[in-house]
Amino acid sequence: MRIVSQVEETPVDFIVPKSPSNEGVPMITDSTQLENLCRRLQDEEFIAIDTEFMRDHSYYPRLCLIQLAGQEEAAVIDPLANGGALDLAPLYELLRTPGIIKVFHAARQDIEIFFHDAGFIPTPIFDTQVAAMVCGFGEAVSYATLVRRFLGENLDKSSRLTDWSRRPLSPKQLAYALDDVIHLRHIYEALARELEELGRTSWIEEEMARLVAPQTYRLEPKDAWKRLRRRPRSRRAFGILIEVAAWRENLAQQRNVPRTRILKDDSLYEIIASAPKDRQQIGRLRAVPQGFAGSKFAPSLLDAVAAGEARAKEPGFSLPKNLSEAVPAALVQASAELLELLKLLLKFQCARHKVATKLVADTSALESFAVAKAGEEHAHPILSGWRKDVFGALALEAKKGNIAIGMEGDQLRVFESKDAPRLAQKGIPDA
């Protein structure tokens, strides 16, 4: 990825000039205006982009507003203008242009909209939230925090809860929306400079490659069970879990309504546990809404329950490794103790390298690494790319029993497990 930095040779805490007044926000409401705007932006090295959407009453997000900015101009695009007749093709062409970096903050939901509405992912991209985490600004850094840090301004949040699908939008609401991309340009420049100074440009390239991978945005019903927190430990119940979760996801997609409009998670858990065979049994379940048993959706739910029981009887079906009932208690305890050690090591290493722990590994990643069999860890995400250098290599040494964490004076240190701090002999960094 080519990162463009136009920041002068000044510390990262510099304050950029305040944004000009947003009175008279440029509003794009017809296709000719949009085409002209996109033509003017074609020669930019980077553009800042943000979206406003609503998904309270739908499965897929409804795109309500698009904010776009180059170095010299910024505008708000209204995709709902004239009954949604605005032709967004020029914008999509601009977002596909390989020579222009598209700058987002917390890009995932914005990218999801373009992926599902138009079938493509803007590339190349730069996510300022991820970049800030790479640069040590903390976990899931907010846009407001970065604006305060780099511009010395406090955002007016009074329009944050706007219903962006309603028209007309007030000048204050439009100004609030446009500020997101005006400030974003300056934040991008500052973070690009910081990444170069830290030598972490390759880190952000790895993270952006993950973010633009199509599989990130494919909502496959067969994988819907992974969204549920409670996981049964019997083959039969787990088979039902997979099928019932897929049934709900399919129905939500077809009807374009939130999953919980079909059935809430608590209802699914009770269905999975009881495995109803007919409408009457569904009607006796306390967590299932009254009337559902008599609805047109009940037969397909019963089919899903039956399919789950059949799946569980298939010869190749098995529980995920971390749910297997055959795991010895001693191994479970050892993995739990290793997990606590890994959490401490992760916190220690991320503080040392000044990078957000959430970006390196979350709890589920640590759990899967802890229970992985010896010799099978090489494919684990924490042992690839920059994560291996920051944390993964040491985590593997910890799992093998080759290092320990302890105090030396008033400092936390990583030692060889044989008690002597001859860390350099094994290439283990002394923090």
Side-chain angles (χ1 to χ4, degrees):
M1 172 184 289
R2 171 177 52 85
I3 294 180
V4 179
S5 177
Q6 299 179 7
V7 179
E8 297 177 357
E9 298 291 332
T10 51
V12 71
D13 286 320
F14 81 105
I15 302 298
V16 303
K18 291 189 176 183
S19 303
S21 170
N22 285 320
E23 293 181 4
V25 173
M27 187 73 163
I28 304 297
T29 58
D30 70 58
S31 301
T32 300
Q33 290 176 326
L34 179 58
E35 186 175 1
N36 291 336
L37 172 66
C38 293
R39 185 182 298 113
R40 293 193 298 271
L41 294 176
Q42 275 291 344
D43 294 329
E44 298 280 355
E45 294 185 81
F46 68 90
I47 55 174
I49 184 167
D50 188 35
T51 66
E52 308 298 342
F53 56 88
M54 301 296 292
R55 70 184 315 166
D56 296 345
H57 305 294
S58 62
Y59 181 90
Y60 297 105
R62 184 189 184 195
L63 181 60
C64 300
L65 216 61
I66 305 162
Q67 302 94 278
L68 199 61
Q71 284 291 83
E72 301 298 330
E73 68 176 312
V76 173
I77 302 165
D78 185 4
L80 303 184
N82 303 316
L86 184 64
D87 182 6
L88 294 177
L91 173 66
Y92 295 155
E93 182 180 352
L94 180 69
L95 296 182
R96 287 190 177 99
T97 304
I100 302 175
I101 297 172
K102 294 81 183 176
V103 181
F104 296 86
H105 181 81
R108 183 161 180 159
Q109 288 188 312
D110 300 303
I111 293 174
E112 180 187 357
I113 290 174
F114 294 119
F115 183 75
H116 288 291
D117 284 5
F120 80 100
I121 293 175
T123 56
I125 70 164
F126 184 99
D127 188 328
T128 55
Q129 184 179 72
V130 175
M133 293 168 73
V134 167
C135 292
F137 285 78
E139 308 286 336
V141 192
S142 73
Y143 181 68
T145 297
L146 295 180
V147 170
R148 282 195 303 271
R149 176 68 181 272
F150 292 122
L151 285 89
E153 296 185 15
N154 290 313
L155 290 178
D156 178 4
K157 298 182 180 180
S158 60
S159 298
R160 181 170 53 91
L161 300 179
T162 293
D163 180 349
W164 296 104
S165 67
R166 298 187 67 179
R167 296 294 183 271
L169 294 170
S170 71
K172 184 177 181 181
Q173 290 169 327
L174 293 173
Y176 167 88
L178 194 63
D179 271 348
D180 284 351
V181 288
I182 290 175
H183 295 315
L184 194 55
R185 300 177 298 190
H186 303 307
I187 292 170
Y188 164 70
E189 291 175 335
L191 287 172
R193 172 69 178 175
E194 181 78 348
L195 286 165
E196 290 173 2
E197 290 181 352
L198 293 172
R200 295 182 179 180
T201 299
S202 62
W203 293 23
I204 199 69
E205 288 174 350
E206 287 183 36
E207 298 313 299
M208 295 305 99
R210 292 169 181 260
L211 201 51
V212 300
Q215 59 266 30
T216 302
Y217 305 97
R218 291 195 180 109
L219 304 173
E220 300 288 355
K222 66 181 179 62
D223 295 323
W225 65 270
K226 297 176 182 178
R227 295 176 176 273
L228 297 170
R229 293 186 177 182
R230 287 163 53 181
R231 310 282 174 82
R233 291 183 174 274
S234 75
R235 285 169 56 95
R236 177 173 177 264
F238 201 83
I240 296 173
L241 165 72
I242 294 172
E243 293 294 337
V244 169
W247 164 83
R248 182 178 70 168
E249 200 77 7
N250 264 316
L251 202 52
Q253 289 180 359
Q254 291 168 12
R255 296 175 62 81
N256 193 24
V257 296
R259 298 176 188 90
T260 54
R261 284 279 189 90
I262 306 301
L263 282 177
K264 293 183 178 180
D265 289 355
D266 286 346
S267 299
L268 290 194
Y269 296 141
E270 190 170 4
I271 290 165
I272 290 162
S274 61
K277 299 293 189 294
D278 53 41
R279 289 178 183 263
Q280 289 71 30
Q281 291 183 10
I282 293 178
R284 288 195 288 269
L285 300 179
R286 295 176 62 184
V288 176
Q290 288 186 358
F292 182 86
S295 74
K296 63 181 179 181
F297 304 118
S300 60
L301 171 61
L302 292 170
D303 289 343
V305 171
E309 292 182 308
R311 174 189 282 268
K313 295 176 183 177
E314 295 174 357
F317 181 78
S318 62
L319 292 172
K321 290 180 181 179
N322 61 336
L323 292 177
S324 175
E325 296 175 311
V327 176
L331 182 57
V332 171
Q333 180 62 29
S335 296
E337 292 172 355
L338 174 60
L339 179 61
E340 294 307 310
L341 176 61
L342 291 175
K343 287 179 179 178
L344 179 60
L345 183 61
L346 175 65
K347 185 176 181 180
F348 174 74
Q349 283 296 101
C350 288
R352 175 173 177 264
H353 288 275
K354 296 182 179 179
V355 61
T357 57
K358 181 180 178 180
L359 191 63
V360 178
D362 58 17
T363 300
S364 63
L366 296 180
E367 289 173 347
S368 62
F369 183 77
V371 301
K373 293 181 180 178
E376 294 182 355
E377 303 98 340
H378 64 278
H380 198 278
I382 69 168
L383 288 174
S384 66
W386 64 269
R387 286 177 175 79
K388 180 178 181 180
D389 297 331
V390 170
F391 172 65
L394 274 180
L396 188 58
E397 292 295 317
K399 188 171 182 178
K400 292 178 179 178
N402 293 336
I403 64 169
I405 300 176
M407 300 299 295
E408 185 176 66
D410 61 351
Q411 297 290 320
L412 193 66
R413 299 283 184 178
V414 176
F415 298 107
E416 288 182 89
S417 59
K418 291 185 178 178
D419 213 20
R422 300 187 301 273
L423 305 179
Q425 296 181 9
K426 286 194 174 184
I428 301 174
D430 182 359

